Amino acid sequence: MLALTIAAAVVIGLTLGLFGGGGSILTVPVLTYLAGVPAKQAIAISLFVVAVTSAVSAVGHARAGRIRWRTGLVFGAAGMAGAYGGGLIGPHLPEALLMGGFAAMMLATAVAMIGDRRASRPTSEPGESRVPRVIAEGVVVGLVTGLVGAGGGFLVVPALVLLGGLPMGAAVATSLVVIAMKSLAGLAGYLQSTAIDWSLALPVTAAAVVGGLAGGALAGRIDADRLRKAFGWFVLAMGGFVLVQQLPPGLPGGWSALPACAALAVAALGLALWRRHRAAS
């Protein structure tokens, strides 16, 4: 299974480099169902993989001058605060609730990727009046990242477009900086109570970095919109699979977490649909 896990890590990095998000949502399922890692440790490893891969993938965008550092650092700093708090809280929550929340994130990510992101347009150049909104959303997105170990690129990119006033290309590039910052903060929170198997984390990270570099090189050279939508349908199927896996084998025990998981799924899908409506209006 290690070879299959490494191959999947390359795909994770590839999609992260191409889209500025999306691929990292597969890291936890890959570690959990392919590598057999417990959910909480998988989330911690995922945060490390996503942080390193995003940082390396951002280098090419930085050289090309696509990263808007001021907006990215403000959003990233706010995200770090939320992610560290999420990383402290996550290890103390039931695994069924964490994985149910993660499945909700996958479903919301799929909706965002299948939807037409070309409808999103920057309203104007970023101004001081938007800074409080950027900070507030950064904290919320960071909290989600810290809890479930996903980079949250599907939330970061629209926020940078709609609140930060960035064009799509700059938003994708800047999101990598934001994702790296808040993933590191979430990891710091998880490491307070969760150990990482570095013999697995390092090769998976190396494979994801290779994929991220390839994705960055391919960005702008392929029909990314069509590929993103196809990948979104795949994430949708995977999210449904993860959610079904949280159904308990017997009646006792796990059912208490299901209403919360369902509520998280509905909330995440509602948020993604609301963003699509707002972007299109």
Side-chain angles (χ1 to χ4, degrees):
M1 283 296 183
L2 180 59
L4 192 57
T5 301
I6 296 298
V10 174
V11 175
I12 289 166
L14 182 66
T15 53
L16 190 62
L18 276 173
F19 310 131
S24 60
I25 203 75
L26 296 178
T27 311
V28 170
V30 164
L31 293 170
T32 301
Y33 300 116
L34 288 184
V37 178
K40 293 178 182 179
Q41 187 179 119
I43 290 173
I45 295 176
S46 171
L47 289 166
F48 177 76
V49 172
V50 171
V52 175
T53 306
S54 299
V56 174
S57 298
V59 172
H61 291 284
R63 289 176 177 171
R66 290 188 289 265
I67 295 177
R68 303 295 176 84
W69 290 102
R70 178 180 176 273
T71 302
L73 292 176
V74 170
F75 197 107
M80 290 180 77
Y84 184 73
L88 289 175
I89 296 169
H92 303 289
L93 297 178
E95 288 195 359
L97 181 58
L98 287 173
M99 291 303 292
F102 193 88
M105 282 283 289
M106 294 186 75
L107 296 175
T109 297
V111 170
M113 297 187 79
I114 294 168
D116 190 358
R117 282 169 60 175
R118 291 173 300 179
S120 300
R121 294 288 185 270
T123 54
S124 64
E125 288 300 313
E128 294 300 326
S129 63
R130 295 191 196 170
V131 171
R133 295 173 63 190
V134 170
I135 292 175
E137 183 145 351
V139 171
V140 173
V141 174
L143 179 64
V144 174
T145 296
L147 281 173
V148 301
F154 87 102
L155 287 171
V156 175
V157 172
L160 291 173
V161 170
L162 298 174
L163 299 181
L166 304 188
M168 182 60 72
V172 169
T174 305
S175 74
L176 293 169
V177 176
V178 175
I179 291 168
M181 292 174 67
K182 57 196 183 67
S183 296
L184 279 176
L187 174 64
Y190 258 87
L191 287 178
Q192 301 300 313
S193 56
T194 304
I196 284 183
D197 180 1
W198 293 106
S199 65
L200 175 64
L202 293 178
V204 168
T205 302
V209 165
V210 171
L213 292 173
L218 289 172
R221 301 184 184 180
I222 62 175
D223 186 355
D225 185 62
R226 181 176 296 179
L227 181 62
R228 172 178 51 81
K229 289 185 178 182
F231 184 71
W233 286 108
F234 174 70
V235 173
L236 184 66
M238 284 295 298
F241 170 79
V242 173
L243 196 59
V244 168
Q245 291 301 303
Q246 301 318 302
L247 293 173
L251 288 179
W255 285 104
S256 59
L258 291 182
C261 293
L264 283 170
V266 171
L269 283 169
L271 177 62
L273 291 170
W274 174 77
R275 285 189 175 284
R276 285 183 60 192
H277 172 76
R278 182 179 177 185
S281 61

